[in-house]
Each structure stands twice: as structure tokens, then as C-alpha cells.
């Protein structure tokens, strides 16, 4: 084996651990759960785009209260699916940051999701996503997230969510699939919290 090949193999094996990353980190340990558990009586699959103003409104005005009032009591489970629209210039990059944060840890991912929606008016204008996340996670976690952005499985995870959405006939965001008592209801667009 050539010295160059040995060096490349060594780097591929050791560099992730040097930076605090797991080498076998291609998928998060569970689905991207915003809240609740998979055994909750109601499951909401949310297909969303971080740069979509309607998605931001849904997250801030409806999803946040559901997380607090229903997910904490495990009455509702919300599964998040990235569905960046091509018409939104920075949506895919935001989804990449989200996917990378999910692999750093659930706490970090939830903070990134919240920061992306909260700070959407700023980063959606200039593409400075990293600046929007600076206060949401520690500098060390942000560095880990940035390093993971280069891993191919980040894009693969987004592509899987997009394919799942396309198979379920998602054409716009936000789109929710609400499952309860063996029935599913598709909801396109925002839905007020009282509903």
C-alpha cells in the first residue's frame, strides 16, 4: 500500500474522532422528532422549508405551543421532514445546517431549528445562516456542525425527505400529515393553534 493511500485511510478513520464526531454518523439515532415520542396517540409529519414565511409562521404560532402543551405530555409526536423548495435560494443550505446539527445532538438540533425560524427574516435576505445560529449553540457545537456539512450523508438525508414528500404528493410548504386513531388527514398551509 502506498504511503499516500495509508495517509488517506488514516485520515478518514481518525479525523472524525479528533473533531468530536462519530465516524458512523450517517444517520441520527431516531427520526427527527421535534417533540413527543413515536408511541404518542397523535403523530404529525411536518414537511417544511426553513426559508418559507408560511412555515415560519406555522412554527412560531402553532408548532411551538403544541410542543409545550401536547408533546411534553406525550399526547402528540411531531416528526420533522426537510422539504427545501428550489424557489428559496438559501433553504437547502439551512436544511444542511439542520441535518448536521441533528447529528451533533438533539438539543443542538432543536436550538438550530428554533434559531432558523426565529431569525429567518435576516438570513433569508443575505444567506448568513451561520450568523443566525451563533447565539443558539455553543461555539464548539457550531464548529462540529460546520465540519459535518461536508459529509455526503447530509445531502442524502435531505434528498430522502424530499423523495418521501414527493411520494406523499407534497407540492408546497408547510404540509402536515396528522395521524390519529388509524386515520390520516393531509393539511396544506398554515393551521392556527386553536384548530
Amino acid at each position: 500500500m502506498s504511503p499516500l493511500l495509508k495517509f488517506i485511510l488514516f485520515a478518514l478513520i481518525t479525523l472524525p474522532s479528533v473533531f468530536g464526531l462519530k465516524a458512523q454518523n450517517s444517520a441520527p439515532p431516531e427520526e427527527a422528532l421535534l417533540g413527543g415520542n413515536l408511541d404518542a396517540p397523535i403523530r404529525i409529519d411536518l414537511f417544511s422549508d426553513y426559508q418559507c414565511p408560511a412555515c415560519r409562521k406555522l412554527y412560531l404560532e402553532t408548532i411551538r405551543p403544541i410542543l409545550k402543551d401536547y408533546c411534553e405530555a406525550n399526547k402528540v409526536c411531531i416528526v420533522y421532514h426537510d422539504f427545501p423548495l428550489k424557489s428559496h435560494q438559501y433553504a437547502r443550505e439551512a436544511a444542511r445546517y439542520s441535518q448536521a446539527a441533528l447529528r451533533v445532538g438533539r438539543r443542538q438540533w432543536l436550538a438550530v431549528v428554533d434559531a432558523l425560524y426565529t431569525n429567518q427574516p435576516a438570513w433569508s435576505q443575505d444567506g448568513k445562516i451561520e450568523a443566525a445560529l451563533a447565539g443558539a449553540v455553543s461555539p464548539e457545537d457550531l464548529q462540529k456542525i460546520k465540519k459535518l456539512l461536508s459529509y455526503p450523508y447530509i445531502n442524502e438525508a435531505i434528498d430522502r425527505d424530499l423523495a418521501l414528500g414527493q411520494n406523499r404528493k407534497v407540492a408546497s410548504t408547510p404540509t402536515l400529515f396528522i395521524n390519529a386513531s388509524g386515520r390520516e388527514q393531509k393539511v396544506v398551509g398554515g393551521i392556527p393553534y386553536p384548530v
Side-chain angles (χ1 to χ4, degrees):
M1 188 180 302
S2 74
L4 179 60
L5 187 55
K6 285 181 183 178
F7 173 76
I8 292 171
L9 288 173
F10 173 77
L12 288 173
I13 294 168
T14 60
L15 281 180
S17 62
V18 168
F19 292 113
L21 307 173
K22 298 173 188 155
Q24 300 296 325
N25 211 5
S26 62
E30 57 190 42
E31 291 191 67
L33 298 177
L34 278 177
N37 296 312
L38 291 173
D39 63 353
I42 299 172
R43 174 181 169 137
I44 300 172
D45 281 273
L46 170 62
F47 289 82
S48 192
D49 173 332
Y50 289 111
Q51 197 172 352
C52 164
C55 295
R56 177 180 192 262
K57 182 176 179 172
L58 176 74
Y59 176 80
L60 295 176
E61 297 177 9
T62 303
I63 299 298
R64 268 186 180 167
I66 289 173
L67 291 170
K68 181 177 178 275
D69 297 342
Y70 295 99
C71 292
E72 287 182 9
N74 200 35
K75 294 179 181 178
V76 174
C77 167
I78 302 177
V79 181
Y80 191 91
H81 302 280
D82 285 306
F83 203 81
L85 301 173
K86 291 180 181 178
S87 60
H88 292 145
Q89 182 178 7
Y90 306 115
R92 183 157 183 120
E93 190 63 13
R96 286 170 36 76
Y97 272 89
S98 173
Q99 286 290 330
L102 183 58
R103 283 148 181 85
V104 172
R106 186 167 189 280
R107 179 181 51 80
Q108 293 86 341
W109 175 63
L110 293 174
V112 165
V113 169
D114 197 72
L116 286 170
Y117 283 120
T118 301
N119 301 322
Q120 183 195 87
W123 67 261
S124 66
Q125 296 300 313
D126 59 18
K128 295 181 180 176
I129 297 168
E130 185 179 332
L133 303 180
V137 294
S138 72
E140 296 80 16
D141 286 337
L142 188 55
Q143 287 305 311
K144 290 177 186 178
I145 291 167
K146 285 172 52 181
K147 291 196 185 327
L148 284 169
L149 291 174
S150 65
Y151 284 60
Y153 52 71
I154 298 298
N155 282 322
E156 291 167 4
I158 296 167
D159 292 339
R160 278 192 303 274
D161 274 354
L162 284 167
L164 176 64
Q166 289 162 353
N167 286 341
R168 298 187 80 182
K169 309 287 189 245
V170 173
S172 64
T173 57
T175 296
L176 303 93
F177 293 89
I178 304 169
N179 293 279
S181 304
R183 296 186 329 206
E184 180 174 88
Q185 176 67 46
K186 181 179 180 180
V187 178
V188 178
I191 183 169
Y193 175 69
V195 174

